[in-house]
Amino acid sequence: ADRLSYGVTAREWTDQGYLKVPGRVARTGVQRYLAEELQMTDRKPDEVVKVYRPPEEVFNEDSLKSYEDVDVTNGHPDDLVSADSFKKVAVGHTTDAAQPDGDYVVVPLIVKDKKAIDAVQNGKAALSAGYEATYDYAPGQTEDGEDYEYVQRNIRVNHVALVDQARAGQQAKLFDQAKEPTSGGTERMTTVTLDGKTV
């Protein structure tokens, strides 16, 4: 059920063949990082560290603004995107600041690279933000009773990556999984059968 948006696609195609679509790129709550991702030297590189991303940090105005006009990449690059690397790794960019959507952050994207568009059309629709942040050692527990060691703060986004699996979970993805493009603003409807009735 999660793979069909009742026949209505959020994807929009430009005259140049670019793909415009919004998506969820990050969320609040506890997420798991490897020690090497956090550049910890006192732990084994593959040790899992639980990090809490509180709403007041994820939805901080400066953090949401930092999503505006950052590069979209096909997979995470080896390092943060910069003037030295963007020609090699960028396949599009975000077109506006991000907005809160429940526990998630939503941002509009435009994908311009043909290979990346083909990958999206073939199901690569998960999204993951690449960012810089500070990590405060402050062990605690969420209201839901989930333990964590660190609190992530001062989140500043560098890029948004198309990935096969997002750290933020299955809902961190483009808003639909439609494989057929729409054009001229016309929505393409899909016929489905529910309990013997075709709609």
Side-chain angles (χ1 to χ4, degrees):
D2 191 39
R3 294 184 64 83
L4 182 63
S5 298
Y6 305 104
V8 179
T9 178
R11 298 180 185 181
E12 180 183 342
W13 299 82
T14 71
D15 292 340
Q16 298 84 8
Y18 302 152
L19 171 62
K20 295 173 70 176
V21 61
R24 299 182 188 95
V25 295
R27 69 168 173 84
T28 61
V30 176
Q31 294 185 18
R32 289 158 177 77
Y33 292 75
L34 297 179
E36 65 179 349
E37 291 180 289
L38 303 179
Q39 300 178 348
M40 292 181 168
T41 57
D42 60 338
R43 305 192 188 193
K44 294 180 180 178
D46 60 351
E47 183 176 338
V48 175
V49 181
K50 291 184 178 181
V51 176
Y52 179 48
R53 292 165 48 87
E56 61 269 22
E57 295 294 335
V58 174
F59 301 140
N60 174 275
E61 183 178 354
D62 289 335
S63 179
L64 293 176
K65 283 182 179 177
S66 74
Y67 282 89
E68 185 172 2
D69 204 27
V70 298
D71 293 304
V72 174
T73 61
N74 193 359
H76 280 294
D78 293 334
D79 205 345
L80 296 176
V81 181
S82 68
D84 293 325
S85 63
F86 93 96
K87 274 193 174 182
K88 297 177 184 176
V89 300
V91 298
H93 59 90
T94 63
T95 59
D96 206 342
Q99 299 291 330
D101 178 30
D103 294 332
Y104 289 86
V105 173
V106 171
V107 67
L109 315 171
I110 182 167
V111 183
K112 295 185 172 183
D113 178 75
K114 181 67 165 60
K115 284 186 178 179
I117 292 171
D118 289 345
V120 170
Q121 292 298 91
N122 288 317
K124 187 174 186 179
L127 296 172
S128 177
Y131 50 82
E132 294 181 290
T134 58
Y135 295 83
D136 294 342
Y137 182 70
Q141 194 175 72
T142 66
E143 293 180 0
D144 296 332
E146 189 170 5
D147 295 326
Y148 58 85
E149 278 191 84
Y150 286 82
V151 176
Q152 190 179 85
R153 304 191 188 280
N154 303 312
I155 303 163
R156 298 296 182 268
V157 175
N158 172 264
H159 64 272
V160 172
L162 293 164
V163 294
D164 293 310
Q165 187 173 5
R167 188 197 311 272
Q170 294 180 347
Q171 295 301 314
K173 62 181 183 178
L174 300 176
F175 272 168
D176 70 287
Q177 296 284 343
K179 291 193 176 181
E180 294 204 29
T182 62
S183 60
T186 303
E187 295 172 344
R188 185 181 301 274
M189 301 301 290
T190 302
T191 302
V192 295
T193 302
L194 302 171
D195 296 328
K197 183 176 182 180
T198 299
V199 294

